[in-house]
Every structure is written in structure tokens, then in C-alpha cells.
Amino acid sequence: MHAFIAGLPKAELHVHHVGSASPRIVSELAARHPDSKVPTDPEALADYFTFTDFAHFIQVYLSVVDLIRTPEDVRLLTFEVARDLARQQVRYAELTITPYSSTRRGIDERAFMEAIEDARKAAEAEFGTVLRWCFDIPGEAGLVSAEETVRLATDDRLRPEGLVSFGLGGPEVGVPRPQFKPYFDQAIAAGLHSVPHAGETTGPETVWDAINELRAERIGHGTSSAQDPKLLAHLAEHRIALEVCPTSNIATRAVRTLDEHPIKEFVAAGVLVTVNSDDPPMFGTDLNTEYAVAARLLDLDERGLAVLAKNAVEAAFLDEPGKARLAAEIDTYTSAWLAP
Ligand SMILES: Nc1ncnc2c1ncn2[C@@H]1O[C@H](CCC(=O)c2cccc(C(=O)O)c2)[C@@H](O)[C@H]1O
Ligand SMILES: [Zn+2]
């Protein structure tokens, strides 16, 4: 099963840019900036990436954000993340980037956009992995961060070619979703898809707010939707996909144990479920491991895993020919694997 997953062509829809910095990438960045408090030795780093709760996770996350200080750091991070994705046979990935966190730390906004775009093109040429961007608001940083993020996402002189969607991340407690409606309206008017985090650390009402106020087309996590049968029915009926990240939910203590994860309830309710890795090195995982976890929790065989991979293709913000090609690649791979 592990070998099948490792070779399965996949799409990753929920993975954070900075949250994808592997020990290898962290070491390279820390060597450039030796004053950082982020440890570089992999064992100490694993310890550093053990979280007591969601707030602690965000605090550690921001210390890794502090390692990215120049456009060259941004380019290195982006290109090396693509390398790690390509190694897992990820053909298409939507990377969640928080440009505000970098621009407010002094990286020039134009140079930031050039760095990610340069890395995207180089990665596609070298690894064949197609990258697209989701720019997210770090909600806890306030409305100024929303204002800045939507400006960076919609100003024609800045907006990168690879940008497809607009998001909202960070803690949910004390950060009500409806206040971000004007910014989502503006992003949607500019042609971006709406994909906020919701229901990761608060209840189903946050997911309703994401749908009704922010016009979410997919939901980041949506874990607490399981508590509301009407919400599950709504998600299923409107094909609003959930970006499920099982190991992340345990690592941040959003869910107590994997066996209590509501992914089974989502599937049983007919919701379009996609499996993703969120901040893989920080949570000691990768996309292949998340597929293995999902296979166990949902009792999937190879065909079931191929369906899961195709769910991500369906939910991707990729054009129809691109979706058809990737879905066909998944089918061809699966048939060849199962052939006698
Ligand atoms: N599982 C997750 N669930 C939610 N979000 C996640 C998850 N993983 C990663 N993130 C990322 O964490 C960022 C949070 C950044 C943040 O809160 C903050 C607050 C105040 C100031 C600043 C700053 O930069 O100055 C930043 C989000 O934007 C999001 O992209
Ligand atoms: Zn996330």
C-alpha cells in the first residue's frame, strides 16, 4: 500500500509555504541567519516542533517565518518545497502563502512576487510539478493584514500569475470570520477563489460563516462540521470540499486522537473529502503519510485511494484539460498497478 501511495500521482490543495520548510531547508536558511532561535539539528528540531496547543504552534510557526528575510530566502524556500512535493509524485499543488508576514518584516513586495514566480517556473521546468498560490490573511494580525493581503492579491502590478485563491488562516478563537467579508468580496471580484480555514479550532458556526459570509468554495479543515448534520448535508449538496489534514489536527490538538478524527463521518455524509498535509515537517508528516492515514481510517484499498486522489483533482482550481490529464494519469497508474 505504501509503495502504491508513493507512486500515485497526486494533487495537494492545503499546504503552507513556510510550514513546508523541511529540516534540510530550515538548516539552509538558519545557516544564512545564524542569530535565529530555530534549531538546525534534526533531533532538536523535532523536539522544537512538538506543540502544547494551537497557540504554541502559531508561536513556533512565526519563529520559522522570521527565518525568511530576503527575496533569495523566499526563492530558495519555494523551489525546495516544490522539490519535496515532486519527490512524492505531487503533480499539482496549491501552496498557501502569507505575503503580509513577509512584507511587514521588510521584504520588498515586488521582489517577493518575483521570487515566488521565478521559483514556480523553475520548479515546473525542472520537476514537472505545477504550483499555484493561495494568498491568505493571517486573521489574528488584524484588518490591516486583510487590507494588505487583498491589495497584494489584486493590484495588477503585483498580483502573481500563479495566484488562484484567497484564504484566511491562523487562530479562529477571537477572530470572527464575518469581519473579513469585504476583503473576500474584493478578492472574488478580482477572479480569485475563496478558500478560508474554518472549523479547525472552533465550532460549525465558523464554517457556516465561511460559507455564507466569505463564500467559501472549499474549507480548510472544517473539522467541527461533523457536529452539525445540516452543515454536512450543505457541504455535500454544494460540493464544497473539505481540505482534511488528519495529522495536523492531532499535532495542534484540534482533535484528540486519529481514531476520533471525523473524516469517516464526512465521507459517510457524501462530502467531497480531500487529504492534505498542512505543515508537513512541523507535524512530522508528508502527503504520502496522510494518504496512508486516510487509508487506515477509511479502510481504503488502492481503488479507494485513487478516488481520494481524484477528489483532490475535482476540487482543484485547475482548468478542465489539466484536471482531465491528471485524473487520467491516476487511472492509468492504478490500472497498471492492479493488472495481473
Ligand atoms: N493549521 C493551520 N491553521 C491555521 N493557520 C495555519 C495553519 N498552519 C499554518 N498556518 C498559517 O499560520 C499563519 C498564522 C500567522 C498569524 O497568526 C500571525 C498573527 C500575528 C502576526 C503575524 C505576522 O506575520 O506578523 C502572523 C496563517 O496565516 C496561516 O497561513
Ligand atoms: Zn492550514
Side-chain angles (χ1 to χ4, degrees), residues 135-155:
F135 277 4
D136 82 329
I137 302 169
E140 203 180 47
L143 292 183
V144 59
S145 74
E147 185 90 48
E148 266 302 279
T149 307
V150 79
R151 183 180 66 79
L152 296 166
T154 60
D155 183 330

Side-chain angles (χ1 to χ4, degrees), residues 73 88 105 149-150 176-177 193 202 227 236 262 282 306 323 338:
D73 295 342
Q88 300 182 75
R105 283 170 175 75
T149 307
V150 79
R177 310 284 100 171
H193 296 282
T202 60
Q227 299 162 22
M282 295 187 179
K323 286 189 183 193
L338 294 174

Side-chain angles (χ1 to χ4, degrees), residues 5 37 49 71 165 194 196 218 225 238 252 256 294 315 320:
I5 292 170
K37 54 177 186 278
F49 286 160
S165 63
S194 168
R218 296 196 316 242
S225 308
H238 295 274
T252 63
R256 236 166 39 93
E320 289 305 325

Side-chain angles (χ1 to χ4, degrees), residues 16 54 57 62 98 101 104-105 136 170 197 200 278-279:
H16 295 262
F54 192 81
F57 159 67
L62 291 177
T98 315
S101 288
R104 73 163 286 225
R105 283 170 175 75
D136 82 329
H197 285 64
E200 178 185 21
D278 211 13
D279 304 285

